[in-house]
């Protein structure tokens, strides 16, 4: 995932510096690959709006995302793409 100046500006508008400093580039890259492998072409948008989820260890992120996929069914990519607030499912226990 390529992050440019505009992306950094968006992150700074949405998150405090302490949260941004927690980014583990390798972990984010692995999560991004997992999302792209699952057809989530808007992975960067999710990163910019839901950074806190990308701070989770990869295995925990995948566990939660798999739960989201089950809840949204086979067309989860389209549903999440149309309504990014559905990402909130990943916060549920």
């Amino acid at each position: 995932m390529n992050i440019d100046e505009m992306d950094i500006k968006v992150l700074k508008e949405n998150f405090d510096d302490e949260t941004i400093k927690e980014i583990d580039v390798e972990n984010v890259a692995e999560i991004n690959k997992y999302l792209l492998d699952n057809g989530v072409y808007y992975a960067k948008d999710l990163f910019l709006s839901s950074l806190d989820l990308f701070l989770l260890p990869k295995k925990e992120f995948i566990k939660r995302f798999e739960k989201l996929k089950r809840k949204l069914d086979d067309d989860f990519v389209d549903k999440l793409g149309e309504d990014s607030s559905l990402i909130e499912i990943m916060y549920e226990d």
Side-chain angles (χ1 to χ4, degrees):
M1 175 182 332
N2 295 324
I3 304 295
D4 59 26
E5 284 185 41
M6 185 61 126
D7 297 331
I8 293 169
K9 182 178 179 184
V10 170
L11 284 173
K12 288 185 175 198
E13 288 174 0
N14 293 330
F15 302 96
D16 61 45
D17 288 340
E18 291 302 313
T19 302
I20 294 170
K21 287 178 185 176
E22 291 181 43
I23 296 172
D24 176 340
V25 176
E26 186 175 315
N27 188 60
V28 169
E30 290 175 8
I31 290 171
N32 185 60
K33 181 183 180 327
Y34 162 79
L35 290 172
L36 292 175
D37 288 348
N38 276 273
V40 181
Y41 57 89
Y42 45 84
K44 184 176 183 179
D45 294 332
L46 292 178
F47 172 75
L48 295 173
S49 63
S50 303
L51 175 62
D52 51 327
L53 290 171
F54 284 76
L55 299 179
L56 294 170
K58 179 184 84 168
K59 287 183 180 182
E60 180 64 22
F61 181 95
I62 290 171
K63 176 181 154 192
R64 293 181 186 205
F65 197 83
E66 288 296 320
K67 179 178 147 186
L68 175 133
K69 284 171 50 177
R70 285 190 301 275
K71 284 196 171 198
L72 297 182
D73 210 14
D74 291 337
D75 56 346
F76 72 93
V77 172
D78 293 334
K79 287 179 181 175
L80 186 58
E82 292 169 9
D83 183 2
S84 62
S85 71
L86 291 171
I87 198 79
E88 299 293 322
I89 292 171
M90 291 181 66
Y91 293 103
E92 297 173 1
D93 288 332

